[in-house]
Amino acid sequence: MAAVLDRFGTATGPYIGDYNAEPTCAKFHLSDAFIRGIRGPMGSGKSVACVMEMVIRAHQQAPDRHGKRRTRWGAIRNTYGELKTTTMKTFSAWVPESIAPINRGEPMTARMILRLPDRTTVDMEVVFISCDKPADVGKLKSFDLTGLWINEASEIDQAILDMGTGRVGRYPEKKDCPFTWAGVIMDTNSMDDDHWWYGLAEGVDDAEEQAKIDELKKH
């Protein structure tokens, strides 16, 4: 894991130093792809990898003229209950509230402000959003994000992914400091072969549908 952190110039701390990525997760961290996902069984560390990926990318973000490395992330789960009991629980286990206090209002947010040895400051905001049906895509329209984490993507409609790809890369604003990386990260258990994840990963037979997949990948 040290090589992953060193690549991004990450200042190690207790909440980072205890993280040891599994081989597949380490490959995930080393990729700069716009859309990345980890599929695996329960307990394989894929959700933790997504949390730590946000932390790593927040450290990687170039500082603005005030020395702040600013990022904003959306964290999506299919239901409000699971958002609180799984997504937020995993986040807080690896980025404790002593470092990133959680505001449980509406929307629920966490914010980590961390001074680094180079005298820059990591300023990472995470907005927790529940999206269990296509109509919930509207929840994303008001957010300008650096990146998006889709937790347990097998339970999320593709419309959420499609909208999410258009909301990332909007923060920080270019006039302040161009973002260093933007994109969508996802984790999931295995799914049926008619799920959109399978089509993105393996391709589909329908030419029109494959053209849509290719266009999404090109974006």
Side-chain angles (χ1 to χ4, degrees), residues 113-134:
I113 299 178
L114 185 66
R115 187 75 167 171
L116 299 182
D118 64 0
R119 297 187 179 183
T120 63
T121 301
V122 172
D123 187 347
M124 180 182 80
E125 181 183 3
V126 181
V127 183
F128 298 94
I129 311 164
S130 60
C131 293
D132 61 350
K133 53 186 180 296

Side-chain angles (χ1 to χ4, degrees), residues 161-175:
L161 172 64
D162 293 343
M163 173 60 74
T165 59
R167 303 314 304 176
V168 299
R170 293 172 173 263
Y171 185 88
E173 294 185 25
K174 291 182 179 180
K175 67 179 179 61

